Amino acid sequence: MPPLFVLFEHAAGYGLFRVKEFEEVGMLLPQVESSVPDLKKFNQVVDIKAFIPFKTAAAALENINNISEGLMTEDLQLFLEKNFPKDGKASLGVGDQKLAATISDTLGYTCKWTGVVPEIIRGIRLHFSKLVKGLTSNSSTVAQLGLGHSYSRAKVKFNVNRVDNMIIQSIALLDQLEKDINTFSMRIREWYSYHFPELYKIIPENYLYSKCAAFIKNRKELTEDKVNELEQIVMDRGKAEAIYEASKSSMGMEIALVDLINIEMFAQRVISLTEYKTELAIYLHSKMEAVAPSLAALIGDLVGARLISHAGSLTSLAKFPASTVQILGAEKALFRALKKKSTNTPKYGLLFNSSYIAKADSSNKGRISRFLANKCSLASRIDCFSESPSSIFGEKLRQQVDDRLKYYVTGELPPKNVDVMKEAVAELQANIKKVNKKKKKKDKKRKLENGETSVDGNEITINLDETIEENGEPPVKKKKNKKKKSQDISMVEE
């Protein structure tokens, strides 16, 4: 068997260990597992060959970030080239499969990450401070703690998902509020119907029913003077009068004052939850416009947010192919069909909530679902990887879906995708120029307000207070004259 070396990444640096009698060790894996806790037995299996410490904490953080992503740093490459045998017979044991593939592609080493390697790495991790000379357990713990804090802090600051985690939390809360409001509304209908059962048929909407229940309270106290106020709540004169007439001849039972107070408090909670749900929807709309404007313009805020939430992040959604986006949310039905070897696989998942699926005929629902998933995949990639996200591409993609629906009905050929994308790029460039122009105007106006002006690229600051003290009045702003630039500069310098 060729000799085996094991690479271990520690907070203090890189260590390279040689495994003794690897042939026997590979045959006796249970004995290796039992010898790991004992240092004396483990020393008979592993021997340190080289160790290089990190120079600074920043270097340690940079190396650990690259290793966590399966990348090889320059320090690690130099360390392996210097200490690993160059005869080509030895193999290298690595804890991470991605890092092993990177080392194998870059340096051409034979890398292993299975078998006895994980157990040896577990033992090295346990006895590392005793295997490396000059490294104490206290200093090893301090290095691990410091690097752990720095790594966690860097991960929190550098979030590849940008602010789409706010979208994920918002849509989850919005769906939960929808369920809770429906449950609470059913409860308040059942509760208040003991006293005023006729109100349920007149006001079917949950939000208006809760407001009416909180306003009416005892139906016997509802007088004709309150009809105008009731009209403002239900926004309908006829319904307000119908409620008043029904209260006179209601078949409901008498109810105690304490019960009415509890019903009113519960109705107020339902009203506040419904209003908060509306505010949360506005907040979600603003977040979707900032993070994924193209996706929101294509399929709407709610469906787009649910796609991002189900994928885990906008980056993950952008990496999905269109076929995955199409059935996202219908995984159980897909695997059930695959398990039964059925051809009746789902045509859509979360995309079913889109208005385009409802518009299409039953024979075209699968076709428009595939087309819509394709456009959603494009929109998510544009939003994820563009420097300045814009809704222009989303609007063009939405127009393409509308044209495709029209094509299925009338047979009119839609424009080609290349032409549509060229139009979108031209509009985006014109929009960027317009925004930059406005920004320049704002900056120029701000400089003038602060008493700053620029001539031929050189900024000249004028102290307004000194000018007022000398002349007794504020200076009058004059229009710039290109012919008198040189004269103006000389006057200011004097």
Side-chain angles (χ1 to χ4, degrees), residues 45 54 66 74 77 118 134 196 319 341 358 380 391 436 440 456 465 483:
V45 178
F54 294 126
N66 289 327
E74 186 179 351
Q77 184 174 351
F196 194 1
K319 292 177 182 177
K341 296 181 180 179
S380 61
S391 61
N436 291 336
K440 285 181 180 179
D456 291 337
D465 296 333
K483 295 180 180 180

Side-chain angles (χ1 to χ4, degrees), residues 322-337:
S323 57
T324 305
V325 175
Q326 181 183 351
I327 59 168
L328 206 62
E331 290 85 359
K332 288 185 179 179
L334 174 66
F335 291 121
R336 193 187 305 118

Side-chain angles (χ1 to χ4, degrees), residues 276-307:
Y276 174 64
K277 179 192 161 192
T278 306
E279 294 174 1
L280 190 64
I282 297 170
Y283 167 76
L284 179 62
H285 175 71
S286 64
K287 283 294 178 184
M288 285 295 292
E289 281 188 343
V291 177
S294 295
L295 190 63
L298 176 60
I299 55 172
D301 301 327
L302 296 178
V303 182
R306 287 192 181 98
L307 286 174

